[in-house]
Amino acid sequence: MAMTERKPPLRTARWLKWRPWVQFGFLFVWLDPLMLRIHSFCGPVFHCYACPLATFACPIGIIANFSALHLIPFIALGTLAVISASVGAFICGWVCPFGWLQDMFARIPTPKVRLPRWAGHSRYVVLVALVIVIPFVWGDAHPLFICRVCPAGALEAAVPSMAKAAAAGEGVAWPNTIKISVTVLFLLALFFTWRPWCTLLCPLGAIYGLSNRFSGIFLRVSDHKCVKCGLCRKLCKYGVLPDKNPNDTRCVRCLECTKCGAITVGILATKPSDAAAPADVPGEDV
Amino acid sequence: MSETPTDSVGDDVTGRITAWRLIVTLLIALLGAGAFVYGALFHIIVIGGGAAAGPAALSGTTDAGSAVGATDSSIEMPEPQVVHDVTVAAIVRLADGEIEKPATDQPAAACPT
Ligand code: SF4
Ligand code: SF4
Ligand code: SF4
């Protein structure tokens, strides 16, 4: 790819410095010190509702539990459909507390490797097998029922409940071996790659990834601004080729690639800036 | 351009893909909103009203309905605002005799084992 003159970042890129703070701010939505526990409804994020502070229910836990009971979780599915159709994977990049946790670990300056692009497909295996099929066929007692292997459940629910039991002088019930193994591997992986859970295993991320194809807010490439320098590919840590496929299912909408200036955020039914404004004007970019 | 974006909405400046996308997006959003309202109505009104047909209505299956109906009077219904989906699920399991008391409002993850 030929290197040519860089263009200054657009507005979207300037939002980036606020992303950790937006993620942090949303913690006050998902972790409710007032203990409202509105568990009738799902939060659109991956946060265990066995966590003592969880405000909403976890949609994946709900789907798996309902699958085990051969029931249709209308509220959970409805929530996910509406969120997918509107913002999609922006939830992953900007809102989800488990994504934020992994982003914070990623700041530790250890050498990190990019996972191969095909790795993202394993999330769909988890979604279909551990969230739907295994619960449906074998029920919630199966050792591979998603909640029994989920590291979010271990860190956000089992650890606090063990600490509480230990503080109260009661016997501590340890998580099962599979769950401990997955959690230890996850914690180790945090030091050597970016967002290992999101990239490899998250069933909710798999759903939001699919929605990148149709969500109302998406990424687009401005052809007249792209100088084929490959910067966007270097900026993306999740195996996406933003200049070629900005609505790839692996994209978590971190918007790092928008620093290049040619990738911008688009909103449904708005025309690309190429059509509306051939000059170097952000157009409908948000 | 040797690498014209193929999946980008920005690739089709005429709006053809945008129109397709608009239809798909609105359809999914409407279906989702419908499912949510359907679930929430039965969740709050039916279960909150004390008729334990909620899970049957939610599931659309007669099995769950008959199972719940069989123990209708024996289940103390929680307040609607604290009922959540897994509690609803637990009621079905209670009715099935799988568990002996109403489950807590925590999923299997809460069970550290
Ligand atoms: S254990 Fe994991 S999948 Fe299950 S409810 Fe908790 S966060 Fe959700
Ligand atoms: S992939 Fe899963 S855990 Fe990661 S940010 Fe998205 S919903 Fe949260
Ligand atoms: S393409 Fe990569 S860098 Fe760009 S928003 Fe998606 S995940 Fe982030």
Side-chain angles (χ1 to χ4, degrees), chain B residues 6-101:
Chain B
T6 51
D7 186 57
S8 160
V9 176
D11 189 33
D12 190 329
V13 295
T14 64
R16 183 171 64 85
I17 293 178
T18 302
W20 171 85
R21 193 170 182 133
L22 184 65
I23 292 166
V24 173
T25 306
L26 288 180
L27 200 63
I28 290 172
L30 279 174
L31 282 173
F36 184 91
V37 171
Y38 177 78
L41 277 180
F42 280 104
H43 197 68
I44 293 167
I45 297 172
V46 180
I47 297 175
L58 284 165
S59 71
T61 65
T62 51
D63 285 347
S66 57
V68 171
T71 57
D72 188 7
S73 59
S74 64
I75 299 171
E76 189 181 337
M77 298 305 297
E79 290 298 313
Q81 61 268 31
V82 297
V83 175
H84 70 84
D85 289 357
V86 169
T87 307
V88 175
I91 290 168
V92 180
R93 293 167 62 199
L94 178 70
D96 281 342
E98 280 184 47
I99 53 176
E100 291 180 349
K101 59 181 180 179

Side-chain angles (χ1 to χ4, degrees), chain A residues 174-190:
Chain A
W174 285 83
N176 65 59
T177 313
I178 301 177
K179 193 165 195 161
I180 291 179
S181 308
V182 171
T183 306
V184 169
L185 283 175
F186 164 70
L187 289 172
L188 284 175
L190 283 173

Side-chain angles (χ1 to χ4, degrees), chain A residues 16 19 90 94 212 219 232-243 245-248 250-258 263:
Chain A
L16 281 175
R19 193 168 72 91
F90 276 89
W94 293 74
N212 284 342
L219 291 186
C232 60
R233 298 184 183 194
K234 289 197 191 86
L235 289 168
C236 182
K237 303 175 181 81
Y238 306 103
V240 181
L241 308 177
D243 56 328
N245 190 357
N247 296 309
D248 191 295
R250 300 166 190 83
C251 176
V252 298
R253 301 305 197 214
C254 66
L255 302 190
E256 286 295 324
C257 57
T258 63
I263 316 283

Side-chain angles (χ1 to χ4, degrees), chain A residues 97-133:
Chain A
F98 210 54
W100 172 80
L101 180 79
Q102 294 170 83
D103 282 350
M104 290 300 105
F105 270 91
R107 289 172 176 241
I108 299 170
T110 45
K112 297 191 174 56
V113 292
R114 281 168 208 251
L115 296 171
R117 296 191 72 238
W118 50 261
H121 297 307
S122 49
R123 298 176 303 167
Y124 296 95
V125 177
V126 174
L127 175 63
V128 173
L130 276 63
V131 180
I132 299 170
V133 175

Side-chain angles (χ1 to χ4, degrees), chain A residues 46-50 58 60-62 146-148 150 152-154 156 179, chain B residues 107 109:
Chain A
F46 200 70
H47 181 67
C48 189
Y49 60 144
C58 162
I60 294 300
I62 291 292
I146 181 69
C147 296
R148 297 194 182 278
C150 174
E156 296 162 0
K179 193 165 195 161

